[in-house]
Amino acid sequence: MPQKDPCQKQACSIQKCLQANKYVERLCEDVIREMRRCCEAQAGNSVCCSGFRESKLAENKSKKTEHLN
């Protein structure tokens, strides 16, 4: 029997929060933060984190370029 993804609960919480808040991300910052924590703790063990890590890299890159402008 396959093991449950260690960050699946947080990923589902993000989806539920976004749906409830009409996809306004700033209203779900707390659950997004929890997902980041899980992904940092479970590095390499969570399929749910694969796209999440990529989006964080893009976000950080965007913040750096905004800071320079």
Side-chain angles (χ1 to χ4, degrees), residues 1-19:
M1 185 168 162
Q3 266 191 326
K4 184 177 175 185
D5 190 296
C7 297
Q8 184 175 358
K9 178 182 173 189
Q10 291 81 358
C12 290
S13 293
I14 289 174
Q15 289 303 312
K16 188 183 287 188
C17 182
L18 288 171
Q19 288 171 353

Side-chain angles (χ1 to χ4, degrees), residues 23-61:
Y23 293 88
V24 178
E25 286 185 33
R26 65 180 170 75
L27 298 177
C28 299
E29 288 176 353
D30 56 334
V31 292
I32 293 170
R33 199 172 305 113
E34 287 301 315
M35 180 71 174
R36 274 206 180 92
R37 284 188 194 127
C38 185
C39 289
E40 288 170 4
Q42 299 296 328
N45 296 325
S46 173
V47 174
C48 293
C49 293
S50 60
F52 199 76
R53 281 190 296 268
E54 291 169 13
S55 68
K56 184 177 179 187
L57 291 173
E59 179 183 311
N60 288 342
K61 195 176 207 180

Side-chain angles (χ1 to χ4, degrees), residues 55-68:
S55 68
K56 184 177 179 187
L57 291 173
E59 179 183 311
N60 288 342
K61 195 176 207 180
S62 175
K63 284 182 182 179
K64 285 179 184 177
T65 56
E66 285 175 8
H67 184 265
L68 295 174

